[in-house]
């Protein structure tokens, strides 16, 4: 029996006990981290430097990239450290910080995804009112509200959870510190019920956001189907469907991971679901949104052209830009990074 006053560390759930697989997990998470850092870094630079991207969607995409970077940097580095050094421990303070920042970034991200859905709804269903409903001041207020909501939600949950006495050991059934798994170690019924009440309130807010997203997309699809041009319909669908896929993946895996019946619970299933909703969506968002945005592609080409021009490598990048213009989205991504890396290695 232990309590929170004497507890100095927690034990995280290991991906595997085999050394070979631990190293494999390390390299896999390293690749995901580097890809997410590079992609989101390019997005941040392009949106900040190109005035063509100083639009509501560009502004929200910049904020989304920040939350994606925050989510990745909160959970993945510790998992990489544990896999590389064959350990599962995390300090009490480190666990509290990880739980707070993960909840902060993930809450802000879902709020931003809801706002971006509203942006698409106004752009497609109310294009004449777009400038009025989504002016610079309105966008700043909505983004500030998303960050403030995430901060308040994380503060309330973290402060309440880590004020509870913990007497059920220190082993967490998760590869990072998460509020529901820490609650399982609590022996305070009143504090436990108070936190459950906060979780219910948060779940209701998430449900409201999800209903709003579904309702918005119903209206969007109805408007898109009335577009006479097949090319116009395809363009509208291509910008909306990836967003809905990411939101659905995030919510379905997160809800199932925390509310699944105990009879089907297993460490491997828990780890798979937790990676799906905590690592995969933040890593994929930048690729999904960026590769469907022609203006962002053009901004990246322009930014890299200037970079290579200053490095006296303009002819190399001119070839890269030419190739990019002839490819689909996936090939665009692969050739973009391969050519950039190749240029630096020359």
């Amino acid at each position: 029996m232990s309590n929170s006053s004497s507890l100095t560390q927690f034990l995280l759930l290991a991906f595997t006990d085999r050394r070979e697989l631990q190293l494999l997990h390390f390299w896999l998470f390293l690749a995901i981290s580097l890809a997410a850092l590079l992609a989101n870094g390019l997005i941040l630079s392009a949106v900040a430097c190109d005035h063509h991207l100083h639009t509501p969607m560009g502004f929200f995409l910049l904020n989304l990239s920040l939350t994606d970077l925050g989510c990745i940097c909160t959970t993945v580095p510790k998992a990489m450290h544990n896999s590389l050094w064959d350990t599962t421990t995390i300090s009490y303070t480190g666990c509290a910080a990880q739980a707070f920042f993960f909840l902060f970034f993930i809450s802000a991200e879902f709020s931003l995804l809801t706002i971006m859905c509203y942006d698409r709804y106004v752009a497609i269903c109310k294009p004449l009112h777009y400038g009025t409903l989504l002016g610079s001041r309105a966008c700043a207020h909505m983004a500030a509200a998303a960050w403030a909501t995430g901060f308040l939600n994380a503060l309330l949950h973290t402060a309440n959870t880590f004020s509870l006495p913990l007497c059920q050991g220190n082993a967490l059934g998760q590869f990072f510190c998460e509020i529901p798994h820490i609650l399982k170690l609590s022996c305070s019924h009143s504090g436990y019920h108070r936190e459950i009440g906060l979780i219910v309130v948060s779940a209701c807010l998430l449900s409201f956001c999800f209903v709003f997203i579904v309702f918005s997309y119903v209206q969007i699809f109805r408007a898109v189907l009335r577009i006479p041009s097949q090319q116009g319909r395809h363009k509208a669908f291509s910008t909306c469907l990836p967003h809905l896929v990411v939101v659905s993946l995030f919510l379905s895996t997160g809800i199932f991971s925390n509310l699944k019946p105990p009879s089907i619970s297993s460490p491997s299933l828990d780890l798979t679901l937790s990676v799906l909703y905590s690592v995969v969506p933040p890593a994929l968002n930048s690729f999904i949104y960026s590769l469907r945005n022609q203006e962002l592609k053009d901004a990246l080409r322009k930014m890299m052209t200037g970079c290579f021009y200053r490095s006296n490598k303009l002819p190399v990048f001119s070839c890269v830009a030419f190739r990019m213009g002839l490819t689909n989205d996936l090939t665009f991504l692969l050739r973009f990074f391969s050519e950039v890396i190749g240029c630096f290695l020359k």
Side-chain angles (χ1 to χ4, degrees):
M1 300 288 285
S2 61
N3 54 56
S4 56
S5 61
S6 60
L7 200 62
T8 60
Q9 63 181 17
F10 291 96
L11 298 178
L12 300 175
L13 185 62
F15 283 94
T16 180
D17 294 328
R18 293 180 57 185
R19 187 57 184 161
E20 298 83 1
L21 294 180
Q22 288 177 345
L23 294 176
L24 177 62
H25 288 132
F26 168 80
W27 289 111
L28 178 61
F29 276 129
L30 179 62
I32 292 174
S33 299
L34 292 178
L37 288 172
L38 181 58
N40 285 288
L42 287 172
I43 291 174
L44 292 172
S45 301
V47 173
C49 298
D50 195 309
H51 69 278
H52 293 101
L53 295 176
H54 294 173
T55 61
M57 178 53 74
F59 176 70
F60 294 135
L61 185 59
L62 184 145
N63 282 269
L64 186 70
S65 293
L66 291 175
T67 61
D68 289 335
L69 285 174
C71 289
I72 293 293
C73 293
T74 299
T75 58
V76 174
K78 184 59 180 176
M80 291 170 56
H81 174 272
N82 287 351
S83 294
L84 182 62
W85 298 106
D86 191 18
T87 182
T88 60
T89 61
I90 184 173
S91 68
Y92 185 89
T93 304
C95 186
Q98 190 180 62
F100 171 81
F101 282 111
F102 176 75
L103 193 54
F104 168 49
F105 287 119
I106 211 73
S107 300
E109 176 162 332
F110 190 68
S111 299
L112 286 168
L113 288 174
T114 306
I115 294 171
M116 294 173 76
C117 174
Y118 175 71
D119 173 88
R120 292 298 85 202
Y121 167 77
V122 175
I124 295 176
C125 299
K126 300 180 182 294
L128 298 179
H129 299 86
Y130 188 80
T132 303
L133 296 176
L134 286 163
S136 58
R137 179 171 295 184
C139 291
H141 288 168
M142 285 188 284
W147 287 102
T149 300
F151 178 82
L152 182 60
N153 185 49
L155 182 63
L156 289 175
H157 284 287
T158 306
N160 183 70
T161 299
F162 283 87
S163 66
L164 301 177
L166 306 177
C167 58
Q168 303 295 326
N170 65 340
L172 300 177
Q174 180 63 288
F175 78 96
F176 67 97
C177 290
E178 195 177 25
I179 298 296
H181 291 274
I182 299 172
L183 283 177
K184 295 178 181 179
L185 306 180
S186 172
C187 52
S188 172
H189 295 291
S190 59
Y192 180 85
H193 292 152
R194 185 169 61 249
E195 178 60 26
I196 291 298
L198 289 174
I199 292 177
V200 170
V201 172
S202 299
C204 291
L205 292 175
L206 287 175
S207 300
F208 172 78
C209 292
F210 182 71
V211 170
F212 174 80
I213 290 173
V214 172
F215 173 79
S216 298
Y217 271 111
V218 170
Q219 301 302 316
I220 289 172
F221 290 156
R222 290 177 60 185
V224 169
L225 292 175
R226 290 196 294 266
I227 298 176
S229 170
Q230 182 178 359
Q231 183 178 2
R233 290 196 301 269
H234 179 267
K235 181 179 179 181
F237 276 126
S238 67
T239 59
C240 296
L241 286 176
H243 174 271
L244 193 58
V245 169
V246 169
V247 173
S248 300
L249 175 65
F250 169 75
L251 278 181
S252 60
T253 54
I255 292 174
F256 183 73
S257 176
N258 293 295
L259 300 180
K260 65 181 180 302
S263 58
I264 64 172
S265 180
S266 66
S268 58
L269 178 61
D270 292 344
L271 284 173
T272 302
L273 291 173
S274 61
V275 170
L276 278 178
Y277 84 86
S278 65
V279 177
V280 173
L284 289 181
N285 284 343
S286 57
F287 299 105
I288 292 175
Y289 288 105
S290 304
L291 296 181
R292 311 304 298 186
N293 190 320
Q294 188 61 42
E295 290 184 351
L296 187 55
K297 289 182 185 179
D298 295 337
L300 289 173
R301 294 186 186 115
K302 186 186 302 183
M303 182 179 66
M304 297 305 296
T305 300
C307 173
F308 282 104
Y309 178 78
R310 288 189 295 270
S311 302
N312 296 320
K313 294 182 179 180
L314 179 60
V316 176
F317 186 74
S318 298
C319 179
V320 179
F322 174 74
R323 293 183 185 181
M324 287 178 181
L326 300 177
T327 57
N328 58 26
D329 292 330
L330 181 58
T331 308
F332 167 85
L333 173 66
L334 296 175
R335 289 189 177 181
F336 180 82
F337 289 121
S338 63
E339 294 284 358
V340 167
I341 294 172
C343 288
F344 282 112
L345 292 178
K346 288 185 177 180

